[in-house]
Amino acid sequence: MSDSDEDGTINHSEFTKLKLRLINEFRDNTKIIKKIWKYVNKHIDDTEERNDIINVCKGLDFIPLLLCNYNGSLSKKDKYIYDILKKLEENYNISLSIFMPFSIGEKAKDYYENLQKLGSILHQRQTFSQAISQLDRDRMNFSIKTLSTVSLLSENVQHHVYDPRFLLRMFCTMLEPGTDLNCKAFISSNCLAYLFSATSLEDEDLRGLGYVCLQRFFAHSNNLTSDKFETKRLVQQLIRLFKESVTSVNQKVPHIISYFFAKASNELYDPTSAVFSRIANCVISSPTISFTQPIQFYTMLESCPADKPNVETEWMLELLSVSIIESEDFHILERIGGFKACLSLYSSDISTIPVRKHILILINNIISNYECSLILISRYNIHAWIIQVIVNDKTSNWECCFLSRIYFKICSSFKNYIQEEKNKEKAEISNEKMLYLSQSLKFVGPIILERFKHAFSQQLNSLKDGSAKLDNSKPEQLEELLNENWVN
């Protein structure tokens, strides 16, 4: 809504001014987008301003302007844009269908310029497969791994994680009956893997969308008109296996299980994969997979074929190193004897650097969970295992530092646990047991500290900018912690 004054100048509405500011901003436009977000939320019930917003949004320039600034991530700017689009659709009755499937980011400018030139009737929309091709495969892979731990990531890292709200709703639209989506493109872009991972989300609505999309993809792949590829039946069987293994409506699947299916979907798509035959055999021979005791995992963990040594072991360890997020995931690994197998495998003759790296990452992730950290101390005597490994002459400097930092975290967790128990009216653990565990942990401390100091100095000397590249935990911190009295 605008009118002309006698001198020929144009008085733009407030919302139009915000749009023009966004067009003319060539630097960081997050602040302007935030103002648009506030304005849209503020004037939902204001008739005059509401009509102005609707009139501006009905044009073919404002929505594309937002989409060209949108990257589908969890950054602040992208969250604002997503909320603006959602609010416009739900509260202002603005139809976004003429812009679907969305093209996002800088590369979308030419596409939307063509839309504005030709109009919505003459403009040829991109296919769903073309929209899928816009997704960055590496970003998708990273988003799958961090889907349930986004809150732990720094703001800078969240720029690289796709927003599950955006992806799942986009997939849900793409997989509606009768669409032209290419199954191969969907799988190769890690989209099917993402759907499996989404079944472990805490948010019930998003998790439900994940299940809906899985069912729609399964139905779409069964259509006679859908594309064909040589492993299509195996991928369908994988989805069927997952479906038969789910025991309740909208079940929250353990991360260790959902990530297995996510990785398996990519392996089954590629017949040249080193673990293709193992995954295919697992899918074909198993009517269901127990979500609480998946014995198939142990088989792959302990597998060592002569022609491909450690291939399946490394594949499984990589899976475990990123999927042990909650205590339930660790308990599942325990039930199949997987954690004991990992500890034994570390010092075995067949272990390789990748194997040891994944095992250390796995242990580090486990002790990040408070409950699991205490289990490692009391049930597995993890500190005794650490010193057994760290005194071995074959243990490298980076392993010594990694093991020492794991020990530092374990001691910190135990110290915090003791303090919390003291604050309770009825302590769940006796002073005698506290004292015993404390002495047991501290007994190995001096040896670990000595090895930590030596390995740390060696690493520091080998790096030009050691302070920037090494972990924050240093030998001095461990020494200070060991000198404290944890029990009294």
Side-chain angles (χ1 to χ4, degrees), residues 132-162:
I132 285 290
S133 66
Q134 298 177 88
L135 299 176
D136 184 270
R137 183 179 171 84
D138 292 333
R139 271 185 71 188
M140 282 293 292
N141 190 39
F142 183 67
S143 299
I144 291 169
K145 291 180 179 180
T146 57
L147 190 57
S148 297
T149 57
V150 171
S151 59
L152 303 177
L153 302 176
S154 66
E155 190 174 323
N156 290 333
V157 177
Q158 289 185 8
H159 281 73
H160 303 287
V161 181
Y162 280 114

Side-chain angles (χ1 to χ4, degrees), residues 18 21 30-40:
L18 289 172
R21 284 184 61 189
T30 304
K31 291 183 179 179
I32 300 174
I33 290 173
K34 184 179 180 180
K35 288 182 179 180
I36 295 174
W37 173 77
K38 286 183 176 180
Y39 193 88
V40 168

Side-chain angles (χ1 to χ4, degrees), residues 265-284:
S265 66
N266 289 330
E267 303 300 345
L268 289 180
Y269 173 74
D270 179 16
T272 63
S273 168
V275 295
F276 174 82
S277 57
R278 168 66 77 174
I279 300 295
N281 180 61
C282 175
V283 169
I284 294 171

